[in-house]
Amino acid sequence: MDFEKDNTFVTGRLKSIVFAVKGAFKLATTEHSVMVQLSIGILMIVAGFYFKITKEEWLIQTLATGLVLGVEGLNTAIEKIADFIHPDYHKKIGFIKDIAAGAVFFAALTAITIGCIIYIPYLF
Protein backbone atom coordinates (compact mmCIF):
# COMPACT_ATOMS: atom_id res chain seq x y z
CA MET A 1 0.00 0.00 0.00
CA ASP A 2 1.31 3.43 -0.94
CA PHE A 3 1.43 5.81 2.03
CA GLU A 4 2.91 8.80 0.22
CA LYS A 5 0.78 11.90 0.41
CA ASP A 6 -1.16 12.60 -2.77
CA ASN A 7 -1.04 16.36 -3.33
CA THR A 8 -3.31 16.43 -6.36
CA PHE A 9 -6.78 17.68 -5.55
CA VAL A 10 -8.97 15.12 -7.30
CA THR A 11 -7.05 11.90 -6.66
CA GLY A 12 -6.16 13.00 -3.14
CA ARG A 13 -9.84 13.56 -2.33
CA LEU A 14 -10.85 10.28 -3.96
CA LYS A 15 -8.29 8.39 -1.86
CA SER A 16 -9.61 10.15 1.25
CA ILE A 17 -13.14 9.07 0.40
CA VAL A 18 -11.99 5.47 -0.15
CA PHE A 19 -10.25 5.46 3.25
CA ALA A 20 -13.32 6.94 4.91
CA VAL A 21 -15.65 4.35 3.36
CA LYS A 22 -13.27 1.54 4.38
CA GLY A 23 -13.20 2.92 7.93
CA ALA A 24 -16.98 3.19 8.10
CA PHE A 25 -17.30 -0.39 6.84
CA LYS A 26 -14.78 -1.66 9.40
CA LEU A 27 -16.60 0.23 12.14
CA ALA A 28 -20.00 -1.11 11.09
CA THR A 29 -18.86 -4.71 10.70
CA THR A 30 -16.54 -5.14 13.69
CA GLU A 31 -17.92 -3.02 16.54
CA HIS A 32 -21.03 -4.34 18.27
CA SER A 33 -22.00 -0.98 19.73
CA VAL A 34 -21.94 0.55 16.23
CA MET A 35 -23.99 -2.37 14.90
CA VAL A 36 -26.59 -1.65 17.58
CA GLN A 37 -26.59 2.08 16.82
CA LEU A 38 -26.89 1.42 13.07
CA SER A 39 -29.81 -0.95 13.70
CA ILE A 40 -31.56 1.69 15.78
CA GLY A 41 -30.86 4.24 13.05
CA ILE A 42 -32.45 1.96 10.45
CA LEU A 43 -35.49 1.45 12.71
CA MET A 44 -35.81 5.22 13.03
CA ILE A 45 -35.71 5.59 9.24
CA VAL A 46 -38.48 3.00 8.91
CA ALA A 47 -40.47 4.81 11.63
CA GLY A 48 -39.96 8.10 9.80
CA PHE A 49 -41.47 6.69 6.61
CA TYR A 50 -44.26 4.95 8.52
CA PHE A 51 -45.30 8.10 10.41
CA LYS A 52 -44.57 10.41 7.46
CA ILE A 53 -42.51 12.79 9.58
CA THR A 54 -41.89 16.31 8.28
CA LYS A 55 -38.80 17.48 6.42
CA GLU A 56 -37.62 19.32 9.54
CA GLU A 57 -38.08 16.17 11.65
CA TRP A 58 -36.07 14.19 9.07
CA LEU A 59 -33.28 16.74 9.29
CA ILE A 60 -33.12 16.60 13.08
CA GLN A 61 -33.42 12.80 13.16
CA THR A 62 -30.63 12.48 10.58
CA LEU A 63 -28.44 14.88 12.55
CA ALA A 64 -29.06 12.95 15.79
CA THR A 65 -28.25 9.61 14.13
CA GLY A 66 -25.09 11.01 12.58
CA LEU A 67 -24.07 12.53 15.91
CA VAL A 68 -24.37 9.21 17.72
CA LEU A 69 -22.55 7.25 15.00
CA GLY A 70 -19.81 9.86 14.72
CA VAL A 71 -19.19 10.03 18.46
CA GLU A 72 -19.32 6.23 18.65
CA GLY A 73 -16.66 6.07 15.94
CA LEU A 74 -14.42 8.51 17.80
CA ASN A 75 -14.95 6.54 21.02
CA THR A 76 -13.90 3.35 19.26
CA ALA A 77 -10.80 5.05 17.84
CA ILE A 78 -9.84 6.34 21.30
CA GLU A 79 -10.31 2.87 22.79
CA LYS A 80 -8.21 1.24 20.05
CA ILE A 81 -5.40 3.78 20.45
CA ALA A 82 -5.48 3.42 24.25
CA ASP A 83 -5.36 -0.38 24.00
CA PHE A 84 -2.49 -0.18 21.52
CA ILE A 85 -0.48 2.19 23.70
CA HIS A 86 -1.16 0.34 26.94
CA PRO A 87 -2.64 -3.17 26.40
CA ASP A 88 -2.83 -3.96 30.12
CA TYR A 89 -5.28 -2.28 32.44
CA HIS A 90 -4.11 1.11 33.63
CA LYS A 91 -6.11 3.49 35.81
CA LYS A 92 -5.42 6.55 33.61
CA ILE A 93 -6.24 4.68 30.39
CA GLY A 94 -9.46 3.47 32.02
CA PHE A 95 -10.31 7.07 32.94
CA ILE A 96 -9.75 8.20 29.33
CA LYS A 97 -11.89 5.38 27.95
CA ASP A 98 -14.66 6.16 30.46
CA ILE A 99 -14.70 9.80 29.35
CA ALA A 100 -14.97 8.76 25.69
CA ALA A 101 -17.81 6.38 26.56
CA GLY A 102 -19.47 9.21 28.47
CA ALA A 103 -19.46 11.31 25.29
CA VAL A 104 -21.33 8.51 23.51
CA PHE A 105 -23.79 8.42 26.40
CA PHE A 106 -24.51 12.16 26.04
CA ALA A 107 -24.97 11.80 22.27
CA ALA A 108 -27.30 8.82 22.75
CA LEU A 109 -29.36 10.68 25.38
CA THR A 110 -29.68 13.58 22.97
CA ALA A 111 -30.84 11.25 20.19
CA ILE A 112 -33.33 9.51 22.48
CA THR A 113 -34.73 12.88 23.54
CA ILE A 114 -35.06 13.96 19.91
CA GLY A 115 -36.75 10.65 19.06
CA CYS A 116 -39.25 11.16 21.88
CA ILE A 117 -39.97 14.74 20.81
CA ILE A 118 -40.56 13.61 17.22
CA TYR A 119 -42.50 10.37 17.75
CA ILE A 120 -44.54 10.75 20.94
CA PRO A 121 -46.99 13.15 19.23
CA TYR A 122 -47.47 10.62 16.41
CA LEU A 123 -48.18 7.85 18.91
CA PHE A 124 -50.79 9.71 20.95
Side-chain angles (χ1 to χ4, degrees):
M1 183 181 263
D2 183 25
F3 288 108
E4 288 185 34
K5 184 172 180 168
D6 189 339
N7 291 321
T8 60
F9 182 77
V10 175
T11 57
R13 299 306 64 80
L14 289 175
K15 285 182 181 179
S16 295
I17 292 168
V18 169
F19 291 138
V21 170
K22 282 182 183 179
F25 183 78
K26 286 178 186 177
L27 196 59
T29 57
T30 62
E31 297 300 317
H32 291 103
S33 57
V34 175
M35 292 176 197
V36 169
Q37 299 294 356
L38 274 172
S39 298
I40 293 169
I42 291 167
L43 287 173
M44 299 313 294
I45 290 169
V46 170
F49 283 116
Y50 179 80
F51 289 109
K52 297 180 177 73
I53 62 176
T54 67
K55 180 174 80 171
E56 292 79 11
E57 290 167 334
W58 274 114
L59 291 170
I60 299 300
Q61 177 174 293
T62 302
L63 183 62
T65 303
L67 170 72
V68 171
L69 291 171
V71 174
E72 188 72 64
L74 292 172
N75 176 52
T76 299
I78 289 167
E79 287 182 354
K80 299 291 183 192
I81 289 169
D83 290 343
F84 178 77
I85 291 170
H86 205 292
D88 299 324
Y89 176 78
H90 189 279
K91 187 176 179 179
K92 287 184 181 180
I93 294 290
F95 182 78
I96 291 165
K97 291 167 81 172
D98 287 347
I99 289 172
V104 175
F105 180 72
F106 285 136
L109 279 180
T110 300
I112 290 166
T113 303
I114 288 168
C116 288
I117 291 169
I118 292 173
Y119 290 105
I120 286 175
Y122 288 100
L123 294 171
F124 297 107

